[in-house]
PDB file of all heavy atoms in Angstrom:
ATOM      1  N   GLN R   1       2.812 -13.844 -10.047  1.00 97.00           N
ATOM      2  CA  GLN R   1       3.456 -13.025  -9.036  1.00 97.00           C
ATOM      3  C   GLN R   1       3.336 -11.527  -9.329  1.00 97.00           C
ATOM      4  O   GLN R   1       3.246 -10.684  -8.499  1.00 97.00           O
ATOM      5  CB  GLN R   1       4.946 -13.452  -8.742  1.00 97.00           C
ATOM      6  CG  GLN R   1       5.542 -12.743  -7.561  1.00 97.00           C
ATOM      7  CD  GLN R   1       6.876 -13.188  -7.103  1.00 97.00           C
ATOM      8  OE1 GLN R   1       7.646 -13.641  -7.897  1.00 97.00           O
ATOM      9  NE2 GLN R   1       7.153 -13.046  -5.822  1.00 97.00           N
ATOM     10  N   ILE R   2       3.525 -11.282 -10.643  1.00 98.00           N
ATOM     11  CA  ILE R   2       3.294  -9.855 -11.126  1.00 98.00           C
ATOM     12  C   ILE R   2       1.865  -9.389 -10.775  1.00 98.00           C
ATOM     13  O   ILE R   2       1.755  -8.252 -10.302  1.00 98.00           O
ATOM     14  CB  ILE R   2       3.625  -9.737 -12.573  1.00 98.00           C
ATOM     15  CG1 ILE R   2       5.097  -9.918 -12.852  1.00 98.00           C
ATOM     16  CG2 ILE R   2       3.053  -8.445 -13.151  1.00 98.00           C
ATOM     17  CD1 ILE R   2       5.446 -10.101 -14.329  1.00 98.00           C
ATOM     18  N   THR R   3       0.936 -10.233 -10.951  1.00 96.00           N
ATOM     19  CA  THR R   3      -0.438  -9.905 -10.616  1.00 96.00           C
ATOM     20  C   THR R   3      -0.625  -9.557  -9.127  1.00 96.00           C
ATOM     21  O   THR R   3      -1.195  -8.569  -8.753  1.00 96.00           O
ATOM     22  CB  THR R   3      -1.382 -11.035 -10.954  1.00 96.00           C
ATOM     23  OG1 THR R   3      -1.348 -11.269 -12.391  1.00 96.00           O
ATOM     24  CG2 THR R   3      -2.826 -10.675 -10.626  1.00 96.00           C
ATOM     25  N   VAL R   4      -0.042 -10.423  -8.245  1.00 97.00           N
ATOM     26  CA  VAL R   4      -0.119 -10.235  -6.868  1.00 97.00           C
ATOM     27  C   VAL R   4       0.623  -8.969  -6.446  1.00 97.00           C
ATOM     28  O   VAL R   4       0.174  -8.173  -5.594  1.00 97.00           O
ATOM     29  CB  VAL R   4       0.466 -11.455  -6.117  1.00 97.00           C
ATOM     30  CG1 VAL R   4       0.459 -11.273  -4.598  1.00 97.00           C
ATOM     31  CG2 VAL R   4      -0.336 -12.673  -6.450  1.00 97.00           C
ATOM     32  N   CYS R   5       1.803  -8.692  -7.021  1.00 98.00           N
ATOM     33  CA  CYS R   5       2.527  -7.477  -6.854  1.00 98.00           C
ATOM     34  C   CYS R   5       1.739  -6.251  -7.203  1.00 98.00           C
ATOM     35  O   CYS R   5       1.662  -5.265  -6.470  1.00 98.00           O
ATOM     36  CB  CYS R   5       3.876  -7.498  -7.581  1.00 98.00           C
ATOM     37  SG  CYS R   5       5.110  -8.666  -6.991  1.00 98.00           S
ATOM     38  N   ASN R   6       1.096  -6.288  -8.402  1.00 98.00           N
ATOM     39  CA  ASN R   6       0.275  -5.166  -8.797  1.00 98.00           C
ATOM     40  C   ASN R   6      -0.868  -4.822  -7.820  1.00 98.00           C
ATOM     41  O   ASN R   6      -1.054  -3.639  -7.537  1.00 98.00           O
ATOM     42  CB  ASN R   6      -0.313  -5.425 -10.193  1.00 98.00           C
ATOM     43  CG  ASN R   6       0.689  -5.288 -11.303  1.00 98.00           C
ATOM     44  OD1 ASN R   6       1.753  -4.630 -11.168  1.00 98.00           O
ATOM     45  ND2 ASN R   6       0.397  -5.879 -12.482  1.00 98.00           N
ATOM     46  N   GLU R   7      -1.416  -5.885  -7.355  1.00 97.00           N
ATOM     47  CA  GLU R   7      -2.500  -5.617  -6.365  1.00 97.00           C
ATOM     48  C   GLU R   7      -1.993  -4.953  -5.125  1.00 97.00           C
ATOM     49  O   GLU R   7      -2.547  -3.988  -4.605  1.00 97.00           O
ATOM     50  CB  GLU R   7      -3.220  -6.960  -6.025  1.00 97.00           C
ATOM     51  CG  GLU R   7      -4.229  -6.851  -4.889  1.00 97.00           C
ATOM     52  CD  GLU R   7      -5.392  -5.963  -5.197  1.00 97.00           C
ATOM     53  OE1 GLU R   7      -5.678  -5.645  -6.376  1.00 97.00           O
ATOM     54  OE2 GLU R   7      -6.120  -5.595  -4.230  1.00 97.00           O
ATOM     55  N   PHE R   8      -0.848  -5.450  -4.591  1.00 98.00           N
ATOM     56  CA  PHE R   8      -0.350  -4.856  -3.368  1.00 98.00           C
ATOM     57  C   PHE R   8       0.165  -3.424  -3.688  1.00 98.00           C
ATOM     58  O   PHE R   8      -0.084  -2.571  -2.836  1.00 98.00           O
ATOM     59  CB  PHE R   8       0.882  -5.685  -2.949  1.00 98.00           C
ATOM     60  CG  PHE R   8       1.435  -5.283  -1.611  1.00 98.00           C
ATOM     61  CD1 PHE R   8       0.902  -5.741  -0.343  1.00 98.00           C
ATOM     62  CD2 PHE R   8       2.394  -4.286  -1.528  1.00 98.00           C
ATOM     63  CE1 PHE R   8       1.409  -5.320   0.873  1.00 98.00           C
ATOM     64  CE2 PHE R   8       2.875  -3.816  -0.302  1.00 98.00           C
ATOM     65  CZ  PHE R   8       2.375  -4.349   0.871  1.00 98.00           C
ATOM     66  N   ILE R   9       0.763  -3.185  -4.794  1.00 98.00           N
ATOM     67  CA  ILE R   9       1.272  -1.832  -5.072  1.00 98.00           C
ATOM     68  C   ILE R   9       0.116  -0.837  -5.213  1.00 98.00           C
ATOM     69  O   ILE R   9       0.141   0.280  -4.725  1.00 98.00           O
ATOM     70  CB  ILE R   9       2.088  -1.866  -6.370  1.00 98.00           C
ATOM     71  CG1 ILE R   9       3.415  -2.719  -6.155  1.00 98.00           C
ATOM     72  CG2 ILE R   9       2.433  -0.519  -6.894  1.00 98.00           C
ATOM     73  CD1 ILE R   9       4.012  -3.136  -7.396  1.00 98.00           C
ATOM     74  N   ARG R  10      -0.966  -1.277  -5.814  1.00 97.00           N
ATOM     75  CA  ARG R  10      -2.124  -0.512  -5.974  1.00 97.00           C
ATOM     76  C   ARG R  10      -2.774  -0.101  -4.594  1.00 97.00           C
ATOM     77  O   ARG R  10      -3.179   1.024  -4.387  1.00 97.00           O
ATOM     78  CB  ARG R  10      -3.232  -1.209  -6.764  1.00 97.00           C
ATOM     79  CG  ARG R  10      -4.474  -0.453  -7.105  1.00 97.00           C
ATOM     80  CD  ARG R  10      -5.369  -1.246  -7.993  1.00 97.00           C
ATOM     81  NE  ARG R  10      -4.867  -1.587  -9.303  1.00 97.00           N
ATOM     82  CZ  ARG R  10      -4.537  -2.787  -9.720  1.00 97.00           C
ATOM     83  NH1 ARG R  10      -4.660  -3.828  -8.851  1.00 97.00           N
ATOM     84  NH2 ARG R  10      -4.032  -2.997 -10.945  1.00 97.00           N
ATOM     85  N   GLU R  11      -2.772  -1.080  -3.713  1.00 98.00           N
ATOM     86  CA  GLU R  11      -3.373  -0.867  -2.356  1.00 98.00           C
ATOM     87  C   GLU R  11      -2.432  -0.126  -1.406  1.00 98.00           C
ATOM     88  O   GLU R  11      -2.815   0.176  -0.269  1.00 98.00           O
ATOM     89  CB  GLU R  11      -3.763  -2.163  -1.719  1.00 98.00           C
ATOM     90  CG  GLU R  11      -4.887  -2.857  -2.515  1.00 98.00           C
ATOM     91  CD  GLU R  11      -6.189  -2.138  -2.409  1.00 98.00           C
ATOM     92  OE1 GLU R  11      -6.377  -1.282  -1.454  1.00 98.00           O
ATOM     93  OE2 GLU R  11      -7.082  -2.408  -3.212  1.00 98.00           O
ATOM     94  N   SER R  12      -1.142   0.125  -1.839  1.00 98.00           N
ATOM     95  CA  SER R  12      -0.256   0.797  -0.894  1.00 98.00           C
ATOM     96  C   SER R  12       0.299   2.100  -1.488  1.00 98.00           C
ATOM     97  O   SER R  12       1.373   2.576  -1.113  1.00 98.00           O
ATOM     98  CB  SER R  12       0.960  -0.134  -0.611  1.00 98.00           C
ATOM     99  OG  SER R  12       1.538  -0.572  -1.744  1.00 98.00           O
ATOM    100  N   SER R  13      -0.528   2.721  -2.314  1.00 98.00           N
ATOM    101  CA  SER R  13      -0.169   4.049  -2.839  1.00 98.00           C
ATOM    102  C   SER R  13      -0.169   5.092  -1.699  1.00 98.00           C
ATOM    103  O   SER R  13      -0.850   4.861  -0.664  1.00 98.00           O
ATOM    104  CB  SER R  13      -1.123   4.481  -3.911  1.00 98.00           C
ATOM    105  OG  SER R  13      -2.429   4.655  -3.398  1.00 98.00           O
ATOM    106  N   ASP R  14       0.479   6.195  -1.928  1.00 98.00           N
ATOM    107  CA  ASP R  14       0.458   7.232  -0.929  1.00 98.00           C
ATOM    108  C   ASP R  14      -0.929   7.705  -0.553  1.00 98.00           C
ATOM    109  O   ASP R  14      -1.297   7.918   0.619  1.00 98.00           O
ATOM    110  CB  ASP R  14       1.277   8.447  -1.417  1.00 98.00           C
ATOM    111  CG  ASP R  14       2.746   8.204  -1.425  1.00 98.00           C
ATOM    112  OD1 ASP R  14       3.212   7.250  -0.856  1.00 98.00           O
ATOM    113  OD2 ASP R  14       3.480   8.995  -2.081  1.00 98.00           O
ATOM    114  N   ALA R  15      -1.755   7.720  -1.595  1.00 97.00           N
ATOM    115  CA  ALA R  15      -3.208   8.227  -1.390  1.00 97.00           C
ATOM    116  C   ALA R  15      -3.936   7.206  -0.481  1.00 97.00           C
ATOM    117  O   ALA R  15      -4.646   7.580   0.444  1.00 97.00           O
ATOM    118  CB  ALA R  15      -3.929   8.368  -2.666  1.00 97.00           C
ATOM    119  N   LYS R  16      -3.738   5.931  -0.704  1.00 97.00           N
ATOM    120  CA  LYS R  16      -4.471   4.908   0.073  1.00 97.00           C
ATOM    121  C   LYS R  16      -3.883   4.834   1.500  1.00 97.00           C
ATOM    122  O   LYS R  16      -4.662   4.595   2.469  1.00 97.00           O
ATOM    123  CB  LYS R  16      -4.423   3.571  -0.618  1.00 97.00           C
ATOM    124  CG  LYS R  16      -5.251   3.528  -1.903  1.00 97.00           C
ATOM    125  CD  LYS R  16      -5.882   2.207  -2.163  1.00 97.00           C
ATOM    126  CE  LYS R  16      -6.893   2.307  -3.286  1.00 97.00           C
ATOM    127  NZ  LYS R  16      -7.645   1.081  -3.558  1.00 97.00           N
ATOM    128  N   ILE R  17      -2.570   4.983   1.657  1.00 98.00           N
ATOM    129  CA  ILE R  17      -1.985   4.994   2.976  1.00 98.00           C
ATOM    130  C   ILE R  17      -2.529   6.110   3.773  1.00 98.00           C
ATOM    131  O   ILE R  17      -2.935   5.937   4.930  1.00 98.00           O
ATOM    132  CB  ILE R  17      -0.439   5.106   2.865  1.00 98.00           C
ATOM    133  CG1 ILE R  17       0.191   3.808   2.221  1.00 98.00           C
ATOM    134  CG2 ILE R  17       0.179   5.337   4.261  1.00 98.00           C
ATOM    135  CD1 ILE R  17       1.635   3.916   1.914  1.00 98.00           C
ATOM    136  N   ALA R  18      -2.684   7.278   3.208  1.00 98.00           N
ATOM    137  CA  ALA R  18      -3.213   8.431   3.877  1.00 98.00           C
ATOM    138  C   ALA R  18      -4.711   8.240   4.152  1.00 98.00           C
ATOM    139  O   ALA R  18      -5.174   8.628   5.290  1.00 98.00           O
ATOM    140  CB  ALA R  18      -2.975   9.713   3.051  1.00 98.00           C
ATOM    141  N   ALA R  19      -5.452   7.781   3.176  1.00 97.00           N
ATOM    142  CA  ALA R  19      -6.860   7.602   3.324  1.00 97.00           C
ATOM    143  C   ALA R  19      -7.227   6.635   4.517  1.00 97.00           C
ATOM    144  O   ALA R  19      -8.251   6.740   5.136  1.00 97.00           O
ATOM    145  CB  ALA R  19      -7.516   7.139   2.066  1.00 97.00           C
ATOM    146  N   ARG R  20      -6.324   5.682   4.666  1.00 97.00           N
ATOM    147  CA  ARG R  20      -6.601   4.628   5.724  1.00 97.00           C
ATOM    148  C   ARG R  20      -6.022   5.080   7.106  1.00 97.00           C
ATOM    149  O   ARG R  20      -6.025   4.287   8.046  1.00 97.00           O
ATOM    150  CB  ARG R  20      -5.995   3.305   5.288  1.00 97.00           C
ATOM    151  CG  ARG R  20      -6.831   2.686   4.125  1.00 97.00           C
ATOM    152  CD  ARG R  20      -6.175   1.538   3.547  1.00 97.00           C
ATOM    153  NE  ARG R  20      -6.985   0.967   2.504  1.00 97.00           N
ATOM    154  CZ  ARG R  20      -6.577   0.289   1.363  1.00 97.00           C
ATOM    155  NH1 ARG R  20      -5.251   0.187   1.130  1.00 97.00           N
ATOM    156  NH2 ARG R  20      -7.484  -0.180   0.547  1.00 97.00           N
ATOM    157  N   GLY R  21      -5.460   6.283   7.164  1.00 97.00           N
ATOM    158  CA  GLY R  21      -5.097   6.910   8.412  1.00 97.00           C
ATOM    159  C   GLY R  21      -3.678   6.437   8.898  1.00 97.00           C
ATOM    160  O   GLY R  21      -3.377   6.691  10.071  1.00 97.00           O
ATOM    161  N   PHE R  22      -2.833   5.970   8.077  1.00 98.00           N
ATOM    162  CA  PHE R  22      -1.496   5.479   8.525  1.00 98.00           C
ATOM    163  C   PHE R  22      -0.606   6.726   8.508  1.00 98.00           C
ATOM    164  O   PHE R  22      -0.515   7.474   7.545  1.00 98.00           O
ATOM    165  CB  PHE R  22      -0.967   4.388   7.598  1.00 98.00           C
ATOM    166  CG  PHE R  22      -1.741   3.149   7.662  1.00 98.00           C
ATOM    167  CD1 PHE R  22      -2.529   2.725   6.648  1.00 98.00           C
ATOM    168  CD2 PHE R  22      -1.589   2.289   8.826  1.00 98.00           C
ATOM    169  CE1 PHE R  22      -3.290   1.568   6.706  1.00 98.00           C
ATOM    170  CE2 PHE R  22      -2.288   1.069   8.865  1.00 98.00           C
ATOM    171  CZ  PHE R  22      -3.148   0.686   7.804  1.00 98.00           C
ATOM    172  N   THR R  23       0.196   6.880   9.545  1.00 98.00           N
ATOM    173  CA  THR R  23       1.174   7.961   9.619  1.00 98.00           C
ATOM    174  C   THR R  23       2.379   7.413  10.327  1.00 98.00           C
ATOM    175  O   THR R  23       2.409   6.247  10.797  1.00 98.00           O
ATOM    176  CB  THR R  23       0.597   9.147  10.476  1.00 98.00           C
ATOM    177  OG1 THR R  23       0.274   8.640  11.800  1.00 98.00           O
ATOM    178  CG2 THR R  23      -0.621   9.758   9.822  1.00 98.00           C
ATOM    179  N   GLY R  24       3.461   8.220  10.363  1.00 98.00           N
ATOM    180  CA  GLY R  24       4.623   7.872  11.126  1.00 98.00           C
ATOM    181  C   GLY R  24       5.273   6.593  10.615  1.00 98.00           C
ATOM    182  O   GLY R  24       5.426   6.318   9.485  1.00 98.00           O
ATOM    183  N   ALA R  25       5.764   5.837  11.612  1.00 98.00           N
ATOM    184  CA  ALA R  25       6.487   4.634  11.364  1.00 98.00           C
ATOM    185  C   ALA R  25       5.663   3.609  10.560  1.00 98.00           C
ATOM    186  O   ALA R  25       6.243   2.905   9.667  1.00 98.00           O
ATOM    187  CB  ALA R  25       6.960   3.957  12.707  1.00 98.00           C
ATOM    188  N   GLU R  26       4.323   3.508  10.849  1.00 98.00           N
ATOM    189  CA  GLU R  26       3.520   2.584  10.126  1.00 98.00           C
ATOM    190  C   GLU R  26       3.494   2.967   8.621  1.00 98.00           C
ATOM    191  O   GLU R  26       3.654   2.099   7.725  1.00 98.00           O
ATOM    192  CB  GLU R  26       2.158   2.518  10.647  1.00 98.00           C
ATOM    193  CG  GLU R  26       2.049   1.763  11.987  1.00 98.00           C
ATOM    194  CD  GLU R  26       0.622   1.677  12.458  1.00 98.00           C
ATOM    195  OE1 GLU R  26      -0.262   2.468  12.010  1.00 98.00           O
ATOM    196  OE2 GLU R  26       0.353   0.728  13.275  1.00 98.00           O
ATOM    197  N   ALA R  27       3.262   4.152   8.319  1.00 98.00           N
ATOM    198  CA  ALA R  27       3.288   4.666   6.948  1.00 98.00           C
ATOM    199  C   ALA R  27       4.626   4.361   6.208  1.00 98.00           C
ATOM    200  O   ALA R  27       4.660   3.942   5.094  1.00 98.00           O
ATOM    201  CB  ALA R  27       2.916   6.079   6.762  1.00 98.00           C
ATOM    202  N   THR R  28       5.710   4.642   6.956  1.00 98.00           N
ATOM    203  CA  THR R  28       7.056   4.436   6.440  1.00 98.00           C
ATOM    204  C   THR R  28       7.229   2.927   6.122  1.00 98.00           C
ATOM    205  O   THR R  28       7.809   2.578   5.033  1.00 98.00           O
ATOM    206  CB  THR R  28       8.099   4.905   7.373  1.00 98.00           C
ATOM    207  OG1 THR R  28       7.977   6.280   7.611  1.00 98.00           O
ATOM    208  CG2 THR R  28       9.501   4.645   6.873  1.00 98.00           C
ATOM    209  N   ASP R  29       6.817   2.083   7.020  1.00 98.00           N
ATOM    210  CA  ASP R  29       6.951   0.592   6.789  1.00 98.00           C
ATOM    211  C   ASP R  29       6.210   0.171   5.539  1.00 98.00           C
ATOM    212  O   ASP R  29       6.697  -0.614   4.758  1.00 98.00           O
ATOM    213  CB  ASP R  29       6.490  -0.092   7.953  1.00 98.00           C
ATOM    214  CG  ASP R  29       7.457  -0.067   9.162  1.00 98.00           C
ATOM    215  OD1 ASP R  29       8.595   0.347   8.978  1.00 98.00           O
ATOM    216  OD2 ASP R  29       6.997  -0.424  10.301  1.00 98.00           O
ATOM    217  N   ILE R  30       5.036   0.671   5.448  1.00 98.00           N
ATOM    218  CA  ILE R  30       4.193   0.303   4.256  1.00 98.00           C
ATOM    219  C   ILE R  30       4.841   0.756   2.947  1.00 98.00           C
ATOM    220  O   ILE R  30       4.795   0.022   1.918  1.00 98.00           O
ATOM    221  CB  ILE R  30       2.726   0.819   4.371  1.00 98.00           C
ATOM    222  CG1 ILE R  30       2.095   0.125   5.568  1.00 98.00           C
ATOM    223  CG2 ILE R  30       1.949   0.583   3.114  1.00 98.00           C
ATOM    224  CD1 ILE R  30       0.719   0.773   5.985  1.00 98.00           C
TER     225      ILE R  30
END
């Protein structure tokens, strides 16, 4: 579970959220 968490955390960094174009409520939810 730690491994799965690490992968999700890595993919949901501020940089990746911005690079994938998420803003507003979607970015906040992520």
Side-chain angles (χ1 to χ4, degrees):
Q1 188 170 30
I2 288 168
T3 299
V4 177
C5 289
N6 282 341
E7 172 62 17
F8 186 90
I9 293 164
R10 185 180 293 112
E11 293 293 340
S12 54
S13 66
D14 288 346
K16 291 213 170 185
I17 292 173
R20 289 168 177 152
F22 294 105
T23 60
E26 287 185 338
T28 299
D29 285 345
I30 294 169

